[in-house]
Amino acid sequence: MRKEVENMDERRTIPRWRLDKDVSVSIPGRDIPLRGRTVDINLKGMQIALPVELPDGAALKMDVSIGRGLAFSVEATVPWRRHEGGMHYHGLQFTRLNDTDKDSVGDYVRVQCADQWREHWWEEVGHPSYGQGKTEE
């Protein structure tokens, strides 16, 4: 069940990397890809801003292109959405992302978000220092 939220409790177990890039989302049954902006991403999901709401449904199959360097296919649910400033913001929770695409997303994030990656890499991989705000030396 999707819901519209204003103030959301943060329940992510790993960080999302801030990523402000053009995004194109192709959904089966829709002739023209949806174009918008990414807000953040990790290997479990992403937030995107689109000019329209995504359709209801338990799972969406999507082809996603971010900037000029990343394209992947994913199945995702839309656990929340909000409307702000003429755009529809959607939280996408990935339910199926193959290993090759996981590697592509990870490689892209490491390059595009290098400053964030260096600061928080252990949170993404489950390092024992997660949540302590510092790395072991």
Side-chain angles (χ1 to χ4, degrees), residues 89-101:
Y89 291 80
H90 301 85
L92 301 179
Q93 182 177 9
F94 299 158
T95 56
R96 179 169 294 165
L97 181 64
N98 70 42
D99 290 340
T100 300
D101 287 335

Side-chain angles (χ1 to χ4, degrees), residues 4 13 32 37 58 72-73 80 90 99 101 120 123-124:
E4 187 149 338
T13 57
I32 300 171
R37 299 291 289 180
F72 60 96
S73 296
W80 65 266
H90 301 85
D99 290 340
D101 287 335
H120 297 287
E123 295 172 1
E124 186 76 26

Side-chain angles (χ1 to χ4, degrees), residues 60-109:
L60 299 171
K61 292 182 181 182
M62 300 180 280
D63 291 320
V64 179
S65 296
I66 299 176
R68 294 184 179 166
L70 179 62
F72 60 96
S73 296
V74 67
E75 290 182 22
T77 59
V78 183
W80 65 266
R81 66 178 186 232
R82 77 176 188 276
H83 183 260
E84 181 180 308
M87 294 295 281
H88 297 273
Y89 291 80
H90 301 85
L92 301 179
Q93 182 177 9
F94 299 158
T95 56
R96 179 169 294 165
L97 181 64
N98 70 42
D99 290 340
T100 300
D101 287 335
K102 282 181 188 175
D103 290 344
S104 295
V105 170
D107 292 344
Y108 186 81
V109 166

